[in-house]
């Protein structure tokens, strides 16, 4: 994955000299990708999820710049990518058309290096600030992992993907055992530190790019594992590693250290409930069975 501190810019132009001139001008400013026409530009965007800005030639054979922009804006996954048109046309109606389609700016040919650099820098600065704000809005402020809002969005996306791809979907609810007693005895500062350590441990279990661990609220966490059929093994690893943290808990009636109870479900392909709330409720039911049966354990259910 691209380093998120280095923005990626895609240069699209059917003339090799134009592509190379822009690439040479912007080298050192950002990570650069090149495409020779509209079709290859769209393929680049599909392959590279971290593109921040596209410098897009308006007039190209086949698929022109306006059509590329229209397709980008029509797809939710690419609708927010910035586009600056590079064009030899100076007609106000052409410029208006591009701006109405959602272009951020225009650069006229022949390009003026100082102007191009300034406009690219200004846009990338705003894009990075927006990305940081988005990241913070998706992050739990205490633990640093995903928050409930981000989890809800990813769960909805994972459900849609599972229905399309006919893959299984695993989901787990994880609760810290006797956490109120821990807070009452050791204090809320110690409780916050314990939650941070447990969150870090759970994040280490969710290693794949599409796995997600989030703080769901209080001392409860959720784990999303698209395409994973053996959720029990993952949860058992999580339960064991949390216990191995050795966070002393003198007030626990389960163990002498902090432990977690885990309830997991696996929805087989084609058997997903109609709503993500149904999935969560089912996982929650399995979690409470684990707690009723003595805590510090893993229970799973497949359907």
């Amino acid at each position: 994955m691209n380093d998120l501190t280095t923005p990626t810019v895609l240069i699209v132009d059917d003339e090799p000299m134009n592509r190379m001139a822009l690439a040479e001008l912007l080298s050192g400013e950002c990570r650069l990708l090149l495409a020779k026409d509209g079709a290859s530009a769209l393929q680049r965007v599909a392959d590279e999820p971290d593109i921040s800005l596209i410098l897009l030639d308006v007039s190209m054979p086949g698929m022109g710049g306006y059509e590329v922009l229209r397709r980008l804006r029509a797809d939710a996954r690419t609708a927010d990518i910035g586009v600056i048109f590079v064009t030899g046309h100076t007609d106000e109606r052409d410029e208006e058309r591009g701006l109405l389609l959602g272009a951020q700016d225009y650069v006229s040919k022949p390009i003026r290096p100082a102007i191009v650099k300034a406009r690219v820098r200004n846009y990338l600065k705003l894009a990075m600030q927006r990305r940081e704000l988005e990241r913070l809005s998706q992050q739990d402020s205490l633990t640093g992992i995903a928050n409930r809002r981000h989890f809800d969005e990813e769960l909805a996306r994972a459900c849609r993907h599972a229905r399309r791809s006919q893959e299984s979907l695993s989901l787990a609810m994880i609760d810290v055992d006797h956490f109120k007693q821990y807070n009452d005895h050791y204090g809320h500062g110690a409780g916050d530190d314990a939650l941070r350590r447990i969150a870090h441990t759970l994040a280490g279990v969710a290693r794949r790019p599409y796995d997600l661990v989030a703080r769901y609220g209080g001392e409860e966490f959720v784990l999303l594992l698209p395409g994973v059929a053996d959720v029990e093994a993952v949860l058992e690893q999580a339960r064991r590693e949390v216990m191995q943290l050795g966070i002393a808990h003198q007030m626990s009636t389960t163990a002498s250290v902090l432990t977690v109870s885990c309830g997991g479900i696996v929805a087989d392909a084609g058997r997903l409930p109609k709503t993500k709330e149904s999935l969560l409720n089912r996982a929650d039911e399995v979690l409470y069975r684990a707690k009723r049966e003595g805590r510090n354990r893993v229970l799973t259910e497949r359907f």
Side-chain angles (χ1 to χ4, degrees):
M1 183 177 290
N2 178 37
D3 178 2
L4 294 183
T5 63
T6 305
T8 298
V9 174
L10 172 62
I11 298 171
V12 186
D13 198 302
D14 61 306
E15 291 291 339
M17 291 295 292
N18 292 340
R19 291 198 302 271
M20 295 312 298
L22 284 169
E24 184 176 347
L25 177 64
L26 297 175
S27 62
E29 300 277 331
C30 50
R31 175 174 175 256
L32 292 168
L33 301 173
L34 305 179
K36 64 181 181 179
D37 53 36
S40 58
L42 292 175
Q43 187 59 53
R44 274 290 203 179
V45 171
D47 294 339
E48 296 274 349
D50 293 326
I51 292 173
S52 297
L53 175 65
I54 302 175
L55 295 179
L56 181 58
D57 186 19
V58 171
S59 300
M60 295 182 291
M63 188 188 304
Y66 293 128
E67 176 61 16
V68 172
L69 179 56
R70 188 192 66 78
R71 295 194 187 192
L72 290 171
R73 295 296 180 255
D75 189 332
R77 295 168 297 181
T78 60
D80 294 330
I81 298 175
V83 171
I84 295 178
F85 274 128
V86 182
T87 178
H89 300 297
T90 57
D91 191 295
E92 288 185 5
R93 287 173 298 180
D94 289 330
E95 186 170 342
E96 180 185 16
R97 179 185 178 190
L99 294 173
L100 288 174
L101 282 170
Q104 271 64 40
D105 208 341
Y106 266 77
V107 170
S108 298
K109 295 179 181 178
I111 63 170
R112 291 175 290 170
I115 297 298
V116 173
K117 270 194 170 185
R119 289 182 174 172
V120 168
R121 282 175 178 170
N122 288 341
Y123 179 80
L124 291 179
K125 182 179 179 181
L126 290 173
M128 297 304 286
Q129 290 172 345
R130 187 169 61 247
R131 178 175 289 191
E132 178 63 12
L133 288 173
E134 182 179 353
R135 183 188 68 81
L136 291 173
S137 74
Q138 297 174 341
Q139 185 181 76
D140 177 60
S141 59
L142 175 66
T143 62
I145 63 174
N147 59 18
R148 183 167 178 168
R149 172 192 168 192
H150 185 42
F151 171 79
D152 285 342
E153 293 170 353
E154 290 302 311
L155 177 58
R157 185 177 292 113
C159 287
R160 291 193 298 268
H161 176 77
R163 290 189 181 97
R164 288 196 307 269
S165 64
Q166 291 295 290
E167 291 182 353
S168 62
L169 178 64
S170 293
L171 174 68
M173 307 284 285
I174 302 169
D175 190 71
V176 183
D177 297 324
H178 307 294
F179 191 70
K180 181 181 184 302
Q181 291 86 343
Y182 184 89
N183 260 345
D184 291 344
H185 184 72
Y186 294 96
H188 288 280
D192 288 349
D193 184 60
L195 289 176
R196 281 189 286 265
R197 294 179 66 187
I198 290 170
H200 180 76
T201 299
L202 297 178
V205 174
R207 294 190 182 96
R208 302 176 312 154
Y210 295 105
D211 294 344
L212 181 71
V213 61
R215 187 180 179 203
Y216 201 63
E219 67 273 21
E220 196 166 50
F221 299 87
V222 280
L223 185 59
L224 180 62
L225 301 165
V228 171
D230 191 6
V231 67
E232 184 173 359
V234 176
L235 292 178
E236 180 56 34
Q237 178 188 351
R239 185 201 65 80
R240 186 174 61 251
E241 290 188 7
V242 168
M243 197 170 184
Q244 289 171 352
L245 290 173
I247 303 172
H249 190 356
Q250 295 179 6
M251 307 307 292
S252 173
T253 57
T254 300
S256 60
V257 296
L258 269 180
T259 58
V260 292
S261 299
C262 308
I265 59 170
V266 182
D268 286 331
R271 301 194 65 186
L272 277 171
K274 290 184 178 179
T275 67
K276 60 184 178 64
E277 288 76 18
S278 298
L279 270 177
L280 286 164
N281 289 338
R282 198 148 181 177
D284 202 38
E285 290 169 4
V286 179
L287 168 63
Y288 274 92
R289 278 187 8 229
K291 293 168 73 172
R292 285 196 303 269
E293 293 180 17
R295 305 179 189 258
N296 189 26
R297 66 190 59 222
V298 171
L299 286 184
T300 61
E301 180 182 283
R302 186 167 195 142
F303 58 92

